[in-house]
Amino acid sequence: MTNPTSPAAPGQSRGERNFARVQAGMKKRRAAETRFRLYGMIAVGLGLSFLLVLMFSIVSKGYSAFLQTYVRLDVPLLEEVIDPEQTRQLDTLRSADYGALVKQNLRDMFPEVTGRRDKFALYNLVSNGAGFDIRDRVLANPDLIGTTLSIWVAADDDVDMLLKGHIERTGPEADRRIKDNQLAWIDKLNAEGRLEKRFNVAFFSNGDSRDPELSGIRGALMGTIFTLIVTLSLSFPLGVAAAVYLEEFAPKNRWTDLIEVNINNLAAVPSIVFGLLGLAVFINFFELPRSAPLVGGLVLTLMTLPTIIIAGRAALKSVPPSIREAALGIGASPMQAMLYHVLPLALPGMLTGTIIGMAQALGETAPLLMIGMVAFIADVPQGIFDPSTALPVQIYLWADSPERAYVERTSAAIMILLAFLALMNTVAVLLRKRFEQRW
Amino acid sequence: MTQTPILVLLLLALSSAAFYFGRKRAFQVAGGQIRKLHSLPGYYGLYVAIWAALPALLVLGVWLSMEGSLITQMVVSTLPASVQDLGPDKLNLVVNDIRNLVVGNIVSGTPDAAMQAAADRYRELQSISKLALFGVTLAVAAIAGWLAFSRIAPHHRARNGVERIVMYVLIACSLVAILTTVGIVLSVLFESIRFFRAVPVSEFLFGLDWSPQIAMRADQAGSSGAFGAVPLFAGTLLITLIAMIIAVPIGLMSAFYLAEYASRRVRAIAKPLLEVLAGIPTVVYGFFAALTVAPFIRDSGSILGLDVASESALAAGLVMGVMIIPFVSSLSDDVINAVPQSLRDGAYGMGATRSETVRQVIFPAALPGIVGAILLAVSRAIGETMIVVMAAGLAANLTANPLEAVTTVTVQIVTLLVGDQEFDSPKTLAAFALGLMLFLVTLVLNVLALHIVRKYREQYD
Amino acid sequence: MTQGKSMTVNAFEDTHETKPVKPQSTATVHRDVRETVGEVRVEDPRIRCTDVNVYYGEKHAIKNISLDVGKGEVLAMIGPSGCGKSTFLRCINRMNDTVSSCRVTGEILLDGEDINGRHIDVVPLRARVSMVFQKPNPFPKSIYENVAFGPKIHGLVQSKAELDEIVEASLRKANLWDEVKDRLDDPGLGLSGGQQQRLCIARSIAIEPEVILMDEPCSALDPISTAKVEQLIDELRQNYSICIVTHSMQQAARVSQRTAYFHLGDLIEIGKTDDLFIKPRHQLTEDYITGRFG
């Protein structure tokens, strides 16, 4: 940028020297600039690629859980096994040994299998739940007895894993979960068109089970829903009331300062500490039932309350004072001004904060472990006093299970959990957009 | 339990009736001229309704929370002296048996006559309590409602009355936050004190050996079990350190890039996406760490000829670091955006490049806030539970090698408390002592961080 | 960026409705451009601007402005708020680059070279055309480091001794040395407002620029500090060309040799300060300096 035409006025030499030095340093500085920008891009890129890897790993592991291998059986519903006395009484029908029918049927299909151990291996191809499926069909229509029922029942998880390619067919037999004879039977069933991958209904309709092919998320999901109902119905009113008091009515003194510091700190207290609180106070002191959504909800209420209060205060703060002044000016009491004029305007913001708090509560695991919502519970809970787990806890439990089939089920449960979270956050974002107001 | 909802519904019905009559009464005393009233008629109705419902509901709440332990005490006091002398543990078992008898569950061993009698007594007391509860709450509701009703007069300041009650309710609600802290402190403190009676504080804080399970097996409560928590502290610090080494540079650089370099569009996309990382439940990270990252690190280690534990501190720390990236980046982003534009202008106006401005002007200006953000992130990492429970080990190794398995404070709390709990064994109580440590450390970090950030914001406001 | 946004708002406050000198014609692009009255050009200019236009998105903030800044002179730019004088000032060292919606056309020559030229790097440009802002904005560093900032980033010094020398010389030139020489390591933010502003000027002259742009440098200062800064500006004129935007006509009269009057994005009149204040040639200028509006 040196300009030969510009006359060198006296006293300018120093400026020109400076300018030369600036120019000399430019290359290095530009390089440093590019480097720094690159570091920034790498950092953002790393963060985003972690997200991508995480999502990919979950989805690639989990998507197959939505399909499950089913076996078609043509089971003769022998009257002498189900209802030898032909009473057609519900109790009799209910307690009949349908499993024996399945076994019988399997033996008929593979008459060459004789040894006790081989038979056992054969029975193992079909889920333990097969008998229950047949029972349900019979109970629904007792006239079926005596006919041959063609029914798709869940295959055992090992068969499922084999067909999904998660278990090796080769290698030393002793190390394999599926032995050579089982492989032959499976191949034969497959060749006969008796094996098929179908939508995994059990995953959505069942509670937890020791058999992977029978286990589902319904119980955990209901537990989560009950827990969140308790959390929401407590934390929203409490949070809004506290936010209103602290923002609108509380005098500014050391006492309210303390409450403020306290709330900000609570928002950052590790969640497991809330679990300890729940264990000591709600279960040991108040003797509320262990493992119940009620206690889970109470603990999560205390945990999400700071989030909701902080969001609520921010929402109230964003309502301009002119609204309050206008209401007070026409003779409303401070309470009326707040209740009829300020609160309705702040409510969308408060709702957004509440949804975000609920999303937090939905994903929380550690405090629930402390209050016993971590037991194996096969029944779907019916209310807030029933023992139950929650979706994240179910994920934790399944992640710890050794069976290969639980890996995909864990991932699938995670996908469900993330879907719920995404839904809640989307609603929060939309709500914010919809009611966003610039004053 | 089943009667409670009925009672609550009954009280609500009573309260609505009170509203109706209160409102009507207000019209009456005003002789139809609302102007004569101090408040709108609805407020008189509300006034009566609140008085009809609130005291009764309070009574109900207190009653229900006390009922169980009171009845138990009364039953225990009627038990034969031989049973009462059994000591707290055995007595607890007996009480449990009695309760089971009451509910009709199967009891360990055959119930003897005394227990059967006690169970009958229990049942009897329960039904008495239920009846009395109905009577008392309804009476309270009626009396309080009537008193409020009789105060209705044109000059009665019903609105102020209602507003005062609402204000008390609001104050009570904001006290819940304080009560939570008090509850946390008390619950971990009491059990910790019991723990420190069995295990000296110095041994807990400075002991190098942690093996609570041994104490259980030898059935020598506390005396031989090793409760030296140093390996846990060291493990927690190691994993936190690894997490910070990942999260701080990436988080900070992302924050600088997004705040100072990125175009509005890039920012609008990248920032929420990064924040998604913070919204993913920790149990998901735990699963990812245990099933994807740990095997990956172990395999790559074995390729390099390194011996990596399958539950290495590195895997847990790495994943925890990823979780904390958005925490650092969005807190820092706030802080960086709070740096006044005039400082940037000052630097640009003299010919500083962007990176020079960021490094030499914005970074020093934002440093206090960034330190606050990092402290909060550290607090978060120390208290993080699920990732380490699922991906870090249980063995209390005292090591600085990130390739070995270590355990952390939170892992031990979970291990000690999940499953059967006995509240007199130091093993269970130790969890609360660890909880106390955790609470104290994170409290100090949080308060410090919040203070720094607040001071920082005041500086530029 | 926030500074830019606030400028955008200021630049279009369309509150002063005045009679146009030139009849409006819908045919030309700049239909409401007014002719400039007075001596636009000087001999031997440091900066020569020709037909400069600035747009913020759709808004036409600066309209066809041409003017010169001579060597060793102080040019004051006055005008009602929102007249575009700050915007114009920021064009001279391309501070408007940071505002994404901002577009500048026309030619601005620094020593005969177009600063908006394609091969021109803003970093060395700003080392030659340095800027002092309305609000004192010392960096959160020590007094010494504040002044040393420019020489350090631009690599103007090779040794600590040289740097010490520059810092002292700059602080002396800014009339601040005696007040701070014993506490050079104290934070710059600890100084009083007037001292902070002189520190910012010292920071600017530490890189020995050719032109110093000052955007209402005294608006946040008390009268005593203002007097000191004005005295400083007068001294600095020996070595630098200075453009100063000011709201105060007295200040313009005190410190400048030439004055330019801006109105709604137009340069209405420019000329010797004494002439302009004593017998303004344009009606709008007269209205303004006699206090009818502004």
Side-chain angles (χ1 to χ4, degrees), chain A residues 57-65 68 156-168 175-178 210-213 215 398-412, chain B residues 287 291-292:
Chain A
S57 135
I58 300 289
V59 172
S60 64
K61 280 201 180 89
Y63 76 97
S64 56
Q68 155 78 27
D156 188 70
D157 58 305
D158 285 337
V159 178
D160 188 40
M161 287 300 105
L162 180 83
L163 291 187
K164 284 172 179 168
H166 296 313
I167 294 184
E168 297 294 321
D175 296 351
R176 265 186 277 134
R177 289 192 57 93
I178 299 268
R210 296 288 185 209
D211 295 312
E213 74 275 6
S215 61
W398 279 350
D400 250 11
S401 305
E403 285 92 346
R404 179 62 183 79
Y406 276 123
V407 171
E408 64 170 30
R409 279 175 166 70
T410 312
S411 304
Chain B
F287 177 69
L291 256 90
T292 308

Side-chain angles (χ1 to χ4, degrees), chain C residues 5-254:
Chain C
K5 267 178 210 149
S6 65
M7 302 257 327
T8 325
V9 174
N10 285 342
F12 321 118
E13 267 181 313
D14 216 8
T15 47
H16 311 291
E17 198 51 53
T18 42
K19 62 174 172 74
V21 171
K22 192 175 139 188
Q24 285 197 4
S25 124
T26 46
T28 57
V29 184
H30 311 304
R31 58 179 185 277
D32 51 354
V33 168
R34 299 185 178 93
E35 294 288 350
T36 302
V37 182
E39 304 87 23
V40 171
R41 299 298 178 203
V42 297
E43 264 178 58
D44 188 21
R46 176 70 78 193
I47 292 169
R48 169 157 284 175
C49 304
T50 313
D51 292 338
V52 175
N53 286 283
V54 179
Y55 304 85
Y56 285 112
E58 293 295 302
K59 296 277 185 177
H60 196 182
I62 295 285
K63 301 162 187 168
N64 250 21
I65 287 183
S66 302
L67 62 73
D68 283 0
V69 183
K71 284 175 182 150
E73 79 166 2
V74 177
L75 172 70
M77 301 180 186
I78 59 169
S81 29
C83 65
K85 52 195 190 299
S86 286
T87 304
F88 180 70
L89 192 74
R90 291 166 67 93
C91 290
I92 302 176
N93 73 343
R94 288 178 54 184
M95 279 301 277
N96 285 329
D97 283 14
T98 54
V99 185
S100 57
S101 64
C102 181
R103 192 162 53 86
V104 180
T105 64
E107 191 184 53
I108 301 175
L109 302 178
L110 173 64
D111 292 332
E113 193 172 17
D114 188 359
I115 66 161
N116 288 315
R118 193 170 293 164
H119 61 288
I120 296 298
D121 191 336
V122 291
V123 169
L125 167 71
R126 288 176 188 160
R128 294 168 70 191
V129 185
S130 172
M131 189 150 182
V132 174
F133 296 85
Q134 187 169 359
K135 218 180 118 214
N137 55 354
F139 300 140
K141 295 165 176 273
S142 69
I143 294 168
Y144 181 94
E145 285 299 324
N146 259 288
V147 182
F149 178 77
K152 269 186 177 172
I153 57 166
H154 290 303
L156 301 183
V157 289
Q158 265 105 17
S159 68
K160 174 88 169 86
E162 211 179 336
L163 188 61
D164 287 348
E165 194 185 310
I166 289 187
V167 169
E168 183 177 341
S170 310
L171 285 169
R172 273 189 198 285
K173 276 190 212 158
N175 295 335
L176 194 61
W177 175 251
D178 293 333
E179 291 161 60
V180 300
K181 64 182 173 204
D182 301 324
R183 46 179 176 140
L184 288 176
D185 290 329
D186 287 6
L189 283 162
L191 297 173
S192 74
Q195 289 173 323
Q196 284 189 13
Q197 192 62 300
R198 277 180 283 149
L199 177 63
C200 292
I201 294 174
R203 191 175 67 188
S204 280
I205 55 188
I207 53 175
E208 299 270 348
E210 293 162 36
V211 182
I212 302 178
L213 308 174
M214 295 185 177
D215 190 356
E216 301 184 30
C218 300
S219 64
L221 305 185
D222 60 86
I224 295 169
S225 307
T226 302
K228 285 189 177 165
V229 172
E230 284 179 6
Q231 185 199 343
L232 171 60
I233 291 171
D234 199 50
E235 290 165 17
L236 291 176
R237 178 165 69 88
Q238 313 303 323
N239 299 317
Y240 310 97
S241 298
I242 296 175
C243 291
I244 176 169
V245 164
T246 174
H247 264 302
S248 154
M249 282 174 278
Q250 289 83 354
Q251 187 172 61
R254 282 194 296 266

Side-chain angles (χ1 to χ4, degrees), chain A residues 224-236:
Chain A
T224 284
I225 290 173
F226 285 128
T227 307
L228 286 189
I229 288 176
V230 173
T231 307
L232 181 64
S233 54
L234 288 175
S235 65
F236 183 61

Side-chain angles (χ1 to χ4, degrees), chain B residues 3-17 52-53 57 134 137-138 141:
Chain B
Q3 276 94 336
T4 315
I6 300 175
L7 192 53
V8 171
L9 283 180
L10 217 60
L11 283 176
L12 290 181
L14 203 67
S15 169
S16 342
L57 283 175
F134 259 79
T137 41
L138 291 180

Side-chain angles (χ1 to χ4, degrees), chain A residues 285-303:
Chain A
F285 187 73
F286 285 111
E287 306 196 327
L288 293 172
R290 267 177 76 84
S291 311
L294 173 67
V295 181
L298 285 171
V299 170
L300 293 182
T301 298
L302 297 183
M303 212 194 76

